[in-house]
Amino acid sequence: MTLASLKHAVRPRAAVLAVALAAALGGAAFVPSAALAKAPASSVAIPYQEFTLPNGLRVIVHTDRKAPIVAVNLWYHVGSKNEAPGRTGFAHLFEHLMFNGSENHPGEFFEPFELVGTTDQNGTTNQDRTNYFQNVPTTALDMALWMESDRMGHLLGAIDQKTLDEQRGVVQNEKRQGENQPYGRRIMARMFEALYPESHPYHWQTIGSMADLNAATLDDVKTWFRSWYGPNNAVLVLAGDIDLKTAKDKATRYFGDIPASATLKDLATSVPQRAQDTRETIPDRVPQVRIYRAWPVAEYGSRDGNLLQLLSQVLGGSASSRLDARLVHVDKLADNVSAFQWTSEISGNFFLTADVKQGVDPAKVEAILDEELQRLLREGPTAAELEQAKTTIRADFVRGIERIGGFGGKSDVLAECAVYAGKPDCYRDDLEVIATATPADVQAAGRRWLGKGSHTIIVQPSETPASALPEAASAAPATTPAAIPAPDPKFKTVKTDVDRSKGVPQTSSFPDLKWPAIHTATLSNGMQVYLVERHEVPVVQMNLEFPGGYSADIGKKLGTASFTTSMLDEGAGQYGALQLAARKEALGAEIGASAGLDSVTVSLSALKDKLAPSLDLFADVARRPTFDNSEFERVRAQWLAGIEQEKVNPKAAAARVMPPLLYGAGHAYAIPFTGSGTTESIKSLNRDDLVAFHRNWLQPEHARVIVAGDTTLKEIVPQLEARFGDWKSAPDAPQLPAVTTAARPQATRVFLIDQPGAIQSNIYVGELIAPTGDAGTIDFDFANGVLGGEFSSRLNMNLREDKHWAYGSYSGAGNAKGQRPWMASAAVQSDKTIESIGELKREINAFVTGERPVTDAEVAKIRASNTLSLPGGYETASALLGQVASNLRYGRPQDYVLQYKARNEAMTPALTQAAAGSLDPKVLTWVVVGDLAKIEPGIRALNLGEVQVVDADGKPVAATKPAK
C-alpha cells in the first residue's frame, strides 16, 4: 500500500534511487532483502520449524520471546510477471482489493487490527510476489489469522463494481503520485521497457498502465483471483511469541478448509541477452542532469547475483566507493553517484546513477563512470575494499533481523527464501558466497555481466515534465477473461470448526506494557548517560544530544545548524572525508549527525565486537571535526544542488514554504523544515561559521548520551568517560534563546506554488498549536487520530476510500519545545483539486465545531490503536532509544509512556471534542503546489481567504492568467 523502505542501500542517495526504482516497478515493489543484506553464515541464524497443510499452505515458524507480539507475514507467489500484456497491473490492483473487506467481514480490512494495537501493517506487490504483513499482540493472533484466511478463501463475494472502481481510482492516484515526482516513475518504466523485450514479464510496470487499469473488468479481476490466490501458492510465516504446536493448531483451524487453486508454475530464469548498448534522453522538470545506466544481470539467489552485490558496494555503494572518490571528491563533477544491484526472481539488474553538477558536460561524467567500471573489471577489487564491503553488508543484515516483522525482519527473510528459493534458510547459502568471495570471484562476475547490453537514460532539465511522456502501448486485452485453470488435484481440504458467520474473533485480553529500567550515570564533565539494556542482537546504539538545533540559528544564517552537523563526519580527527567513510564501513559502524528544531544529535550504531574502535571514531566526529575547506566547498555545492531539488519536489517545496508562513519572519522555527536553509544563506556561510557553531552549541555539560543495546553501565560508562570526560564547553558559550510565541494570523490565507504540467496537486493546510510540553498534548494528538492520524480516520476515508481522488490523506503535529506545527495534506489528481480542498475544509470544520461529533466508536478505535500497540511498539533498541531521547528533550518523566497510556485510556468523546477545539478553522494557512493554469481560478472562486502566488522560496510572484 505504501512504498517500502528498501534495505538495499547503505547511504541516502542509493536509498532514494532504489525507492524510485520500486515506484517505477509498482505500487510498493521492494528489493528482496535476503539477497541484498547478508552476513557471514557463521554469525547469522534464524532458527525455524515448518509444516505444510493438506491444501498446500506452507507455514514457517520462528520463536522470539523478546516482545509479546507475533509477526504474521503471508506471501503469495504471484506478481506482475504472471500477468499478460493488456492486463497489466492486476497483481497490484488485487493487493488493494484485498484490503477492502471480505465476505464475512464487510468494510475496511484495517478496522479490526486498529482495535487491537497492530503495528507495522502493510501490503506490497512487486514483479514476483504479493505480500501482506502485520505485527499483532500475541492474544490477537486468532483475529489476524481469521482475517488473513477470510480474504484468502472468502473474498470474491465482497468485490463488486463499486469496490473495483474505488480501488482502481486509488491505484491510479498512486501511479500519478509516483509520476509527479522529479525523476519519477515514468523514467524508470522506460528503463525496463528498454532492457526487457515486450514478451518478457519484467517489461511492464507492476502498477500497470492507465489503459490496462481502465480496461480491467469485474470478471477479469475475479478470474485472476480464482486462478492463483490459493493456499498452495502461498507461504505463511509466524514469527515472535509463538511455538510450533500453537502455529500448527491455529493455521490448520483458520486456513485448512480453503481449497487449493491451480499451482502457479515457476518461470525459468530469463536474463535478456543484449548485443548492443542503447541510450535515450528524456526531458523532465528537474534542476540537473541525472544519468542512469543499467544492465540485465544474474537472478535472485545465484552466485553471480551475490558477487555483483559486492562489486556494486565497491564501485558505488558507499561514501568511500570508487565512484564517490573520483566523481564527487576528486574531480567534483557530480553531486551524487551510486551503484546498486537490483535482484529479482528470474533476472537481476545492475544500476549506475549520477547527478551531474550544473554546468558540467554529462558526457564527461559518463566517460568516468565507464572508466572506473572498466578499471574495476580489469584489476578487480582490493582485498581491503572487499573486506570492507562484506563488513558493511553483514552489519546491515544484523541490524535488520533484530525485528521479527516488516521489511528485512526475520519473518520477511524466511518468507522470501521460501518463496523464491524453496528453502527458508536460503540466506545462509548467500551469506556463504559473500563471506568466502575473493577479489578474483567478484572481478569475474563483473566481467561476465557488465559488458555490452546496457541501456543509458539521460534525464535532461526541461520545461516538459517526464509525466507528459506517453505510456508504451500495450497489447489489446482479449474480449473475454482467460479461462480459469483447474485446481491442483493433489491438495485436499480439512474440516475445521470455524463458524465464520459469527464474524471476526474478538480479543478480550492484551499483554501488559512493561517499560524497561532506565539506568543513569554522570561523566566527570557533567554529561548525563541514560542506558536501556537490550541483549538480543550484538549491536549498541547511542545518541549524543545537545540543545540547540534550528533554534540556535535565530538572527544568523539559516541552515547553519544543519550544515554544520552535516559536516561533522566529512573529516574528523586524523581522517579526511574519504578515510573516515572507509573507516566506518570497515567497522560496520553507522555514524551520523543531524539537527532538528531544538537539538543537535550525533548518533552511533556499532557492532558489539567493534564497539571500542567505533567509539573512537564517534568521539572524533563529535569533538574533532576538521571542517576542511575543500570538503566544505564540496558539501556546499551539493547542498545548494539539494535545495534546487527540493524546490521541484512538491512535498519538499511545501515543507520549505509552510514554516515561515506559520511562524513569521525572525522566528527560530521560520526555516524550511528540510533544514537546508536558503540559497542565499548557504552561499554566505564560511568555515568560521561552522567552527563557531560547533564551539558554541555542542556544550558537553548540557549534553545527554542515550544508549540502547547490548551493553551495561559497567561496560559503557568507562568507555564514554575515556573519550568524553575531559571535554569542556567554551567558557563564553552562549545561552540558548527562548523560543518566542508566534501569533496566529487574523484570517485564512492561501498560497499557491506553480508546478506547470503537474498531474497532481499537493494540498497542505496548517496552523500552530501548543508546544509538546503542554498539558493538553496527549489529548490533542488523540483527537487528531480521529481526524487524520490513522488509515481509517476521517480524511483518508473521505479522499481515498470514498472519493478515490488521492492515494492518501492524513494529518498530524510535529514535536517542538515551542509551538508545534499541525498540518493536514493530500496529493490529489489535478482535476479534483478544488473539490478536494472543499472536502478538507468541510472535514476540519465539522471536526473542530462538533458539527460531526466525535463518536464512541472513534474514541474506542484511537484508544486501542494508541495503547494496545505499546507492548509491541518497543521491540527494537532504536525504538526505546528514540522514546527515552524524546522524553528527556521535552522534559517528560521516565515513565511517560505509562502516563501516556493512562491518559489515552481515560479519553472520552467529550474530552476528544474539547481537544479538537485547539484548532481554529477560521485562521488556517493553505499551501497548494500544482499546475496553476488548471487550478488557480477554481481555488480563488472558493473564497477561502486572501490568495497569493509564491515561488518555491515563498517569495511573491505575479498571479498567473486564468485559464480560458
Side-chain angles (χ1 to χ4, degrees):
M1 305 290 282
T2 60
L3 286 180
S5 176
L6 305 181
K7 287 196 64 59
H8 152 267
V10 291
R11 57 197 185 118
R13 170 53 58 191
V16 169
L17 294 169
V19 169
L21 180 53
L25 293 175
F30 77 101
V31 181
S33 59
L36 296 177
K38 307 296 183 274
S42 59
S43 66
V44 175
I46 308 173
Y48 71 92
Q49 297 168 288
E50 67 170 313
F51 57 92
T52 301
L53 298 184
N55 62 2
L57 179 66
R58 189 174 186 180
V59 184
I60 299 164
V61 184
H62 167 72
T63 302
D64 181 338
R65 305 286 190 185
K66 70 174 175 287
I69 55 175
V70 179
V72 179
N73 204 331
L74 183 61
W75 282 45
Y76 292 88
H77 198 176
V78 185
S80 61
K81 78 173 185 298
N82 305 111
E83 299 162 346
R87 283 192 165 86
T88 65
F90 274 36
H92 177 251
L93 178 60
F94 229 96
E95 176 213 312
H96 281 252
L97 289 169
M98 289 180 76
F99 278 103
N100 259 71
S102 52
E103 293 168 359
N104 301 295
H105 175 69
E108 293 293 334
F109 185 83
F110 288 101
E111 289 173 351
F113 290 91
E114 289 175 335
L115 292 174
V116 300
T118 298
T119 57
D120 211 0
Q121 182 175 24
N122 213 328
T124 72
T125 310
N126 71 12
Q127 297 160 315
D128 303 313
R129 61 95 186 102
T130 303
N131 71 344
Y132 302 91
F133 54 91
Q134 54 268 321
N135 294 350
V136 297
T138 306
T139 53
L141 181 58
D142 285 272
M143 180 278 296
L145 295 177
W146 189 99
M147 291 291 291
E148 287 289 3
S149 62
D150 208 62
R151 64 177 171 183
M152 177 187 282
H154 308 274
L155 182 75
L156 290 183
I159 298 178
D160 55 17
Q161 190 64 45
K162 179 178 180 295
T163 303
L164 173 60
D165 290 342
E166 172 190 304
Q167 290 307 312
R168 188 201 329 260
V170 171
V171 169
Q172 289 178 326
N173 273 303
E174 179 182 358
K175 182 176 169 68
R176 291 186 186 101
Q177 186 167 305
E179 293 177 353
N180 201 47
Q181 307 304 310
Y183 311 101
R185 189 193 305 272
R186 193 68 62 85
I187 291 169
M188 293 308 301
R190 292 286 284 265
M191 176 64 80
F192 279 79
E193 289 164 6
L195 290 179
Y196 294 94
E198 289 187 22
S199 59
H200 196 286
Y202 290 171
H203 178 77
W204 55 85
Q205 299 178 76
T206 295
I207 203 167
S209 70
M210 283 293 190
D212 287 358
L213 290 169
N214 283 326
T217 68
L218 195 58
D219 284 343
D220 285 330
V221 296
K222 288 189 174 184
T223 296
W224 173 259
F225 180 79
R226 289 191 179 105
S227 297
W228 310 123
Y229 281 77
N232 49 314
N233 289 322
V235 168
L236 172 66
V237 178
L238 301 174
D241 188 18
I242 192 170
D243 55 51
L244 180 66
K245 182 180 184 306
T246 303
K248 187 173 291 187
D249 291 345
K250 292 184 183 296
T252 303
R253 184 165 187 260
Y254 291 109
F255 290 90
D257 63 346
I258 300 174
S261 66
T263 297
L264 189 60
K265 293 182 179 179
D266 291 342
L267 296 184
T269 298
S270 179
V271 183
Q273 301 300 308
R274 289 169 46 86
Q276 298 296 325
D277 296 325
T278 53
R279 61 189 298 112
E280 63 182 311
T281 298
I282 296 178
D284 197 11
R285 191 177 293 278
V286 294
Q288 62 192 120
V289 172
R290 178 175 291 173
I291 301 168
Y292 294 89
R293 180 173 294 166
W295 292 257
V297 296
E299 75 283 3
Y300 175 92
S302 63
R303 176 178 173 81
D304 276 0
N306 285 300
L307 295 173
L308 289 173
Q309 160 80 5
L310 288 166
L311 188 142
S312 72
Q313 182 71 16
V314 172
L315 180 62
S318 72
S320 66
S321 69
R322 293 190 178 194
L323 290 179
D324 272 84
R326 176 76 183 277
L327 282 168
V328 177
H329 288 266
V330 178
D331 293 347
K332 296 181 173 61
L333 300 175
D335 289 314
N336 289 288
V337 292
S338 71
F340 60 93
Q341 168 81 345
W342 174 278
T343 309
S344 298
E345 188 174 10
I346 63 174
S347 178
N349 295 281
F350 191 97
F351 274 84
L352 301 180
T353 68
D355 286 354
V356 181
K357 282 185 179 294
Q358 290 186 349
V360 171
D361 182 1
K364 190 172 183 180
V365 174
E366 272 198 87
I368 293 174
L369 288 174
D370 188 62
E371 180 183 328
E372 289 300 323
L373 172 62
Q374 294 308 315
R375 184 167 70 90
L376 181 57
L377 298 183
R378 184 174 62 253
E379 301 172 359
T382 67
E385 286 177 318
L386 187 56
E387 189 59 34
Q388 185 173 304
K390 293 178 181 181
T391 302
T392 298
I393 293 169
R394 167 181 173 259
D396 192 43
F397 184 80
V398 169
R399 293 183 180 100
I401 62 169
E402 181 186 9
R403 295 172 290 111
I404 58 170
F407 298 112
K410 288 187 282 191
S411 64
D412 207 45
V413 171
L414 293 172
E416 177 189 279
C417 276
V419 167
Y420 293 154
K423 48 190 264 186
D425 61 351
C426 77
Y427 66 90
R428 296 174 70 89
D429 299 333
D430 294 339
L431 302 182
E432 185 66 22
V433 170
I434 288 178
T436 60
T438 67
D441 292 334
V442 174
Q443 178 189 26
R447 287 178 171 179
R448 278 191 289 272
W449 294 102
L450 303 180
K452 290 288 186 182
S454 69
H455 184 67
T456 298
I457 292 177
I458 307 296
V459 182
Q460 187 70 40
S462 167
E463 291 303 307
T464 302
S467 58
L469 291 171
E471 285 195 303
S474 59
T479 55
T480 58
I484 300 172
D488 194 324
K490 71 173 174 286
F491 298 113
K492 309 297 181 185
T493 60
V494 297
K495 290 185 178 181
T496 72
D497 62 352
V498 176
D499 182 357
R500 294 187 181 270
S501 67
K502 294 181 179 179
V504 185
Q506 300 300 303
T507 307
S508 57
S509 63
F510 295 90
D512 292 330
L513 171 61
K514 297 178 180 178
W515 186 245
I518 312 297
H519 306 286
T520 63
T522 304
L523 303 187
S524 58
N525 64 347
M527 189 180 290
Q528 300 295 305
V529 180
Y530 301 82
L531 168 68
V532 184
E533 293 186 28
R534 293 297 297 266
H535 300 285
E536 289 80 12
V537 295
V539 175
V540 178
Q541 301 182 67
M542 66 181 67
N543 282 356
L544 177 55
E545 185 173 303
F546 304 86
Y550 302 169
S551 57
D553 285 348
I554 185 170
K556 302 181 181 67
K557 302 171 183 177
L558 296 184
T560 303
S562 288
F563 193 94
T564 303
T565 53
S566 77
M567 285 291 298
L568 294 182
D569 64 348
E570 294 286 354
Q574 63 179 316
Y575 300 101
L578 282 171
Q579 292 76 24
L580 181 63
R583 181 61 176 156
K584 284 192 294 185
E585 291 154 20
L587 294 171
E590 294 179 352
I591 300 175
S594 62
L597 291 178
D598 302 299
S599 60
V600 165
T601 300
V602 188
S603 60
L604 167 69
S605 176
L607 300 176
K608 178 65 179 288
D609 61 353
K610 298 289 197 316
L611 180 58
S614 298
L615 279 171
D616 290 338
L617 208 59
F618 181 59
D620 278 342
V621 168
R623 297 186 61 178
R624 292 174 284 276
T626 57
F627 299 130
D628 179 83
N629 268 318
S630 176
E631 304 298 347
F632 171 77
E633 293 301 337
R634 172 183 60 81
V635 174
R636 190 214 303 269
Q638 292 175 299
W639 200 273
L640 292 170
I643 290 175
E644 296 306 308
Q645 294 281 10
E646 289 175 3
K647 292 177 182 179
V648 299
N649 183 301
K651 292 182 180 180
R656 291 184 60 79
V657 167
M658 181 67 91
L661 297 176
L662 291 177
Y663 289 100
H667 193 278
Y669 296 166
I671 181 174
F673 276 172
T674 58
S676 55
T678 66
T679 299
E680 293 77 14
S681 65
I682 298 303
K683 283 183 176 178
S684 70
L685 280 177
N686 56 54
R687 184 180 183 277
D688 290 343
D689 295 321
L690 277 57
V691 172
F693 186 93
H694 180 267
R695 174 186 181 277
N696 290 338
W697 295 113
L698 271 65
Q699 302 172 7
E701 72 270 21
H702 295 141
R704 294 180 289 264
V705 185
I706 306 101
V707 186
D710 189 16
T711 189
T712 64
L713 275 184
K714 184 178 179 180
E715 291 175 343
I716 197 66
V717 169
Q719 297 196 62
L720 293 173
E721 177 67 32
R723 293 163 177 86
F724 296 103
D726 63 341
W727 190 12
K728 304 294 184 183
S729 295
D732 56 346
Q735 295 295 311
L736 192 66
V739 179
T740 58
T741 299
R744 283 177 169 174
Q746 297 299 305
T748 293
R749 305 170 297 164
V750 183
F751 297 89
L752 308 180
I753 301 176
D754 196 15
Q755 187 187 15
I759 57 177
Q760 278 192 328
S761 297
N762 282 258
I763 305 168
Y764 293 82
V765 56
E767 67 177 79
L768 300 181
I769 60 172
T772 295
D774 184 78
T777 290
I778 294 176
D779 289 14
F780 177 83
D781 288 345
F782 188 102
N784 178 74
V786 172
L787 178 63
E790 301 283 342
F791 181 89
S792 63
S793 296
R794 294 181 181 184
L795 297 181
N796 199 55
M797 296 306 291
N798 183 333
L799 290 182
R800 174 183 164 126
E801 297 298 286
D802 182 31
K803 307 294 192 309
H804 49 81
W805 296 341
Y807 181 49
S809 180
Y810 296 92
S811 64
N815 285 314
K817 289 185 176 181
Q819 292 158 292
R820 296 198 292 162
W822 173 87
M823 282 185 277
S825 66
V828 303
Q829 59 194 75
S830 290
D831 61 346
K832 295 298 181 184
T833 303
I834 313 309
E835 296 91 331
S836 298
I837 292 173
E839 288 300 310
L840 285 168
K841 179 177 182 290
R842 183 178 64 80
E843 290 285 6
I844 294 169
N845 278 330
F847 170 69
V848 173
T849 64
E851 177 185 338
R852 181 183 169 191
V854 175
T855 66
D856 287 328
E858 287 176 317
V859 168
K861 177 186 69 177
I862 302 304
R863 179 190 299 125
S865 180
N866 288 356
T867 62
L868 300 179
S869 61
L870 291 173
Y874 299 103
E875 176 198 5
T876 65
S878 60
L880 286 168
L881 186 150
Q883 184 63 58
V884 172
S886 178
N887 290 346
L888 293 167
R889 189 180 310 129
Y890 302 113
R892 296 163 168 168
Q894 290 186 3
D895 66 348
Y896 170 77
V897 171
L898 301 177
Q899 297 182 18
Y900 172 86
K901 180 176 184 289
R903 183 58 184 173
N904 272 268
E905 290 172 339
M907 290 298 289
T908 64
L911 288 171
T912 306
Q913 194 65 65
S918 298
L919 297 177
D920 184 351
K922 297 187 296 299
V923 297
L924 295 171
T925 297
W926 296 80
V927 172
V928 183
V929 185
D931 189 340
L932 297 193
K934 300 175 184 175
I935 65 176
E936 184 180 348
I939 293 176
R940 290 183 180 277
L942 288 173
N943 293 316
L944 296 174
E946 180 185 359
V947 178
Q948 188 169 11
V949 179
V950 298
D951 63 18
D953 287 314
K955 297 176 180 177
V957 299
T960 58
K961 295 180 179 180
K964 294 182 180 180

